[in-house]
Every structure is written in structure tokens, then in C-alpha cells.
Amino acid sequence: VKLTPDIYLVGSGALGFDMSSAFDCHIYAIVNSGEIALLDAGSGLGMADVIRNLEDDGLDPAAITTVFVTHYHIDHAGALARWRELTDPTVVASQTAAAAIRTGDARTVGLQAAKEGGFYPDDYILVPCQVDVEASGSDRFSVGELTLTALETPGHCDGHLSFLLEGSDRTSLLGGDVVFWGGRIMLQNIPDCRIDEYAASVTSLAEHAFDALLPGHLTPSLRDGKRHVDAAAHAFRSLAIPPNLIQL
Ligand SMILES: [Zn+2]
């Protein structure tokens, strides 16, 4: 589904638009000057649907040259080994995420806790995958004529990156699991979810100028997305906790 002149939504799960596996995060394809990069890989359980979605949008999966990963949770990183087999892209992740993705360490990436919490099938594993580039804050990458800048945004988990995409008709924050529609955040009862770091990440994102908020789940906002980040930052600055995406 084409969202902007350069960004397509090609996968999305139960916390989104049911376009691929229920376990998938939003998978974005950034397309410019003949280059295709994916922003987050998905769980790997919905590969056939993601590939069909790409083709339905006129995008050749074989043309994917880079996969940027916001963090190591398996709905975002689980498919990396599958993409490696299919198109052998350059995989970009933070140093912290890269270390866990290379070993497929279920405990570090929260998979063990998520299984015990009933979120994932018992037989699901994170297939280890080589990471080619370890990105840290302010690192810049190009996709065609566009520039993607990494921003360090821990708190939802260790080593979380968000990406600012500039050079098109609008600036977009590809925020992963930091801030969602309505100023929601995603706190989880896992060892590397850290509220103080979360607050610092959200308030630092609010210092950036951008138009679209393209998060890892829930509704994207294509023009006035910053208001959602501002709402979460306002709550944190007032010593409150923004509303949580995960509710029972
Ligand atoms: Zn996550």
C-alpha cells in the first residue's frame, strides 16, 4: 500500500492492518531512484504475504538491497535470516541489536519472556542472521536520493533505533516501537524496558521536526504525526506515564 511518494506499507500484523502474519510489525518499503530498502523485517511467518504485497505494489522483492532494523524484538527482526536467503540485503541494526541477532539469543531479545506470556508459539525461534552494519546515533544512510538518519531511542528495549527519513515531499519519523498514535508508548514487563531511558528518548524525538509518524504498530500519521510524539513527551515531562499500547 503506497503511503507517500517514497514509502509503502508491505506487511502488517494484528496490531495493524492484518496484511501479513498476525505477528508482524509494520514493514515499510522505502523506494527511491530504483533502490528499495525495508524498514523492519517482520516475524518471518508472513513472508509469502509480504512478497505478494510488494509485487502488488509493483515492487520487485529481488531489488531490496538493505534492511534497516529498529530493534531485536522478533516481530521486527525475526525475518532477517529469510530475507538474507531471498535477496542477501545489507542488514543494518544497532550494536546491541546486532549482537543478539547474530546469535539468535531468545532471552536477550525478549522472545523467551514473550513465549511465557503466551504471545508466540513455543516452537518459534529467532534464526541467527549476520548483521553487516552496526548503526549508532546520527549515522546517515542513503536510499536513492533520500537520507535516513539513525536516532538512538532506548527504553522500549535496549539498542532501539528510530530513523528520520528526509529528502522527499515530507520528513518522516520511522519510529519503531517508541511512540504510537495518540501518544501511546509500549511498556512491557521485560528486563530491558527502562522508563527513564524511554522518557529521554521520547523527549529527544520531540526536538526533531518531522511531518509523518510511521510507527511499528497501529495507525500511521502521514502529515501531522509529530503531535503524537509531542503528546507522549508532554506526559513524560509532567512526570506521568503516557498511555500504554499493551492493555489487558
Ligand atoms: Zn518491540
Side-chain angles (χ1 to χ4, degrees):
V1 176
K2 191 169 188 174
L3 300 177
T4 79
D6 310 280
I7 303 172
Y8 295 73
L9 185 65
V10 298
S12 177
L15 285 174
F17 304 104
D18 298 317
M19 294 169 63
S20 52
S21 165
F23 296 108
D24 283 342
C25 66
H26 289 335
I27 305 166
Y28 297 100
I30 304 167
V31 184
N32 189 270
S33 304
E35 280 189 46
I36 303 177
L38 291 187
L39 194 296
D40 278 330
S43 67
L45 298 173
M47 291 297 287
D49 291 320
V50 175
I51 287 166
R52 197 194 59 240
N53 292 335
L54 281 157
E55 290 170 345
D56 285 350
D57 284 334
L59 304 174
D60 179 4
I64 295 168
T65 55
T66 312
V67 181
F68 296 91
V69 188
T70 58
H71 63 301
Y72 50 41
H73 287 159
I74 63 122
D75 48 336
H76 299 255
L80 285 172
R82 301 290 306 280
W83 287 112
R84 177 70 80 189
E85 282 170 28
L86 280 170
T87 74
D88 199 22
T90 299
V91 174
V92 181
S94 72
Q95 185 179 35
T96 300
I101 290 165
R102 287 183 184 122
T103 60
D105 177 4
R107 205 161 286 281
T108 298
V109 304
L111 176 56
Q112 191 59 37
K115 280 183 182 175
E116 288 163 8
F119 288 102
Y120 293 108
D122 278 343
D123 59 354
Y124 187 93
I125 60 165
L126 175 62
V127 181
C129 180
Q130 182 53 38
V131 174
D132 305 290
V133 179
E134 294 183 0
S136 44
S138 306
D139 284 356
R140 294 162 83 87
F141 303 90
S142 19
V143 181
E145 305 291 310
L146 308 181
T147 303
L148 201 58
T149 304
L151 306 170
E152 293 186 12
T153 50
H156 170 73
C157 68
D158 286 346
H160 190 292
L161 295 176
S162 300
F163 292 89
L164 209 55
L165 183 69
E166 297 170 282
S168 184
D169 66 328
R170 73 197 78 191
T171 299
S172 300
L173 177 67
L174 295 130
D177 281 357
V178 178
V179 185
F180 305 90
W181 179 273
R184 290 175 188 226
I185 62 171
M186 202 196 298
L187 289 176
Q188 293 175 286
N189 179 23
I190 51 176
D192 64 336
C193 191
R194 308 180 199 282
I195 192 68
D196 52 343
E197 293 187 6
Y198 213 136
S201 293
V202 169
T203 50
S204 77
L205 286 179
E207 301 299 315
H208 292 274
F210 55 90
D211 307 295
L213 172 65
L214 304 175
H217 305 280
L218 303 186
T219 313
S221 179
L222 300 183
R223 292 194 190 283
D224 195 15
K226 188 161 186 301
R227 73 190 193 276
H228 305 294
V229 176
D230 288 340
H234 174 69
F236 274 132
R237 286 196 194 100
S238 310
L239 309 189
I241 308 295
N244 197 10
L245 186 152
I246 296 178
Q247 302 275 357
L248 290 181

